Amino acid sequence: MKTEDENTVLLHTEGRTGVVTLNRPKALNALTHPMVLRIDGALTAWEADPAVQQVLIRGAGERGLCAGGDIRAIHDDAKAGTTASAGFWRDEYRLNARIARYPKPYVALMDGIVMGGGVGLSAHGGVRIVTERSRVAMPETGIGFVPDVGGTWLLGRAPGRLGTHLALTGTAVGAADALLCGLADHFVPAARLPELTAAFASAPVHEVLPRYAATPPPGELADGRPWIDRCYAAGTVEEIVDRLLGEGEPAAKEAAETILAKSPTALKVTLAALRRAEGLGSLERVLAQEFRVSCNALRSPDLVEGIRAQVVDKDRRPRWSPPALADVSDADVERFFTPLGEERELRLPDGGSGRG
């Protein structure tokens, strides 16, 4: 009989493929610390098993792979001033790095909602499959947090300034835009996923995929590249907003309004984290920076308030502190990058430049 923790992540093999199924469909397969440890244990076992030639990760139910981490638990931890979230992030970010350098093909079915921690479980993999139902996002600024799980690494490598746009607005993108931004590799219609996964049991992924891959429905970001690249090249969030409002483009105005509803502190820290990630040179170094930022965010009033407004009370009316971009100083931003101390920093072996 499986324990409750074992039931949240189902593990089995189908022929040559080790299959991970996130199994909290009522919670959109939101990720908990025991789930992270169970996935990591499976990867350890399958890496050493010659009978397992590739790994597949998917979500139970039809709503999504994973909506992210269990942010109610993070809210309670931050409110209580305890450190459970730091332990969760340490193991989660280690798992993200491991996925990026896993020696066997790691196939992620990014069907439905894939956000936050779900992006960390999928977008670092070697084979990333989206469908017409995919909605991929790093929406952290809306809860007073900053993109993590390697999100600043992934978004920093998107073409032009698309990643900055997605990071600040938290916009969820469909299949074509996920492919454009480098968050996915292949489009497969959702109706064909059962047939696709069955085929993985008897053949390598690189032989199977060409029979199922198709052209996705058109996206939205490619047409917006000119104004996105112009506006998000600005040096500050305030200037980005000013440029967006001055474009005379309805989509740019909508982006500005979306940004202005997010946590001012989280926005400024996110832009700084993205810009610093560009110079760090490896996923592991970026994850170490994100760990520092995440741990320091636990002491930020906006994290508790953002989760309260979006998830706990659901009034969708966060009271940010400070309430305006102009009120967030450089010193306020720098506090998020403050070293944690030798014993608390995240240490990862440097795996090089990662994907691509």
Side-chain angles (χ1 to χ4, degrees):
M1 184 174 175
K2 286 187 169 67
T3 67
E4 183 179 349
D5 287 345
E6 289 174 326
N7 275 323
T8 60
V9 177
L10 304 178
L11 305 171
H12 73 285
T13 56
E14 292 182 14
R16 64 176 62 222
T17 304
V19 181
V20 178
T21 304
L22 306 184
N23 190 38
R24 297 183 70 208
K26 290 182 180 177
L28 272 170
N29 301 316
L31 199 58
T32 64
H33 199 167
M35 291 169 73
V36 166
L37 297 175
R38 187 158 163 78
I39 296 166
D40 189 66
L43 293 183
T44 297
W46 289 337
E47 185 173 341
D49 186 347
V52 175
Q53 297 181 22
Q54 55 202 13
V55 171
L56 174 73
I57 187 166
R58 63 189 182 185
E62 296 189 348
R63 296 169 64 203
L65 170 66
C66 175
D70 187 344
I71 58 175
R72 274 182 179 270
I74 294 169
H75 168 272
D76 295 346
D77 187 38
K79 199 169 181 182
T82 47
T83 59
S85 296
F88 166 60
W89 288 325
R90 184 181 298 278
D91 288 329
E92 184 184 22
Y93 299 177
R94 283 174 172 161
L95 178 59
N96 301 146
R98 181 175 199 175
I99 289 167
R101 57 175 181 262
Y102 200 63
K104 298 180 179 182
Y106 179 100
V107 184
L109 299 187
M110 301 171 71
D111 185 34
I113 291 173
V114 185
M115 296 186 179
V119 173
L121 289 179
S122 57
H124 297 298
V127 182
R128 306 161 303 170
I129 297 168
V130 283
T131 75
E132 72 279 6
R133 303 187 300 201
S134 295
R135 302 301 294 165
V136 184
M138 295 299 293
E140 286 78 8
T141 55
I143 58 165
F145 197 46
V146 177
D148 65 335
V149 299
T152 59
W153 168 258
L154 293 163
L155 295 175
R157 291 157 70 86
R161 298 294 175 175
L162 291 176
T164 308
H165 171 63
L166 297 185
L168 295 183
T169 63
T171 298
V173 297
D177 289 334
L179 293 165
L180 173 64
C181 292
L183 300 173
D185 307 300
H186 306 279
F187 170 79
V188 174
R192 302 203 72 189
L193 290 183
E195 189 183 347
L196 172 72
T197 55
F200 285 151
S202 57
V205 60
H206 69 270
E207 292 181 9
V208 171
L209 256 179
R211 302 201 299 269
Y212 296 90
T215 301
E220 300 174 5
L221 290 180
D223 289 345
R225 274 292 299 280
W227 65 262
I228 288 172
D229 288 353
R230 274 196 303 272
C231 295
Y232 289 95
T236 66
V237 180
E238 292 95 326
E239 189 181 349
I240 288 170
V241 171
D242 286 345
R243 289 189 186 186
L244 288 168
L245 292 172
E247 272 290 317
E249 169 72 45
K253 182 175 183 288
E254 183 180 340
E257 291 169 350
T258 298
I259 289 170
L260 289 172
K262 310 298 184 186
S263 158
T265 301
L267 289 167
K268 287 199 169 185
V269 177
T270 293
L271 185 62
L274 279 169
R275 299 281 163 87
R276 295 180 191 207
E278 291 173 7
L280 290 175
S282 76
L283 170 63
E284 286 78 6
R285 292 190 203 112
V286 172
L287 285 165
Q289 173 177 273
E290 290 179 351
F291 183 75
R292 188 178 285 179
V293 170
S294 296
C295 289
N296 286 322
L298 284 172
R299 300 195 297 273
S300 165
D302 279 4
L303 179 58
V304 171
E305 173 61 11
I307 299 174
R308 180 208 63 76
Q310 298 297 334
V311 177
V312 180
D313 297 337
K314 299 183 179 177
D315 60 21
R316 308 291 193 265
R317 298 183 65 177
R319 295 180 291 275
W320 304 123
S321 179
L325 287 166
D327 298 326
V328 182
S329 69
D330 291 345
D332 293 333
V333 173
E334 197 59 38
R335 274 195 285 275
F336 285 78
F337 298 90
T338 302
L340 303 173
E342 192 63 31
E343 296 302 312
R344 293 179 58 212
E345 298 283 358
L346 178 64
R347 307 289 180 195
L348 294 168
D350 199 323
S353 60
R355 283 191 56 90

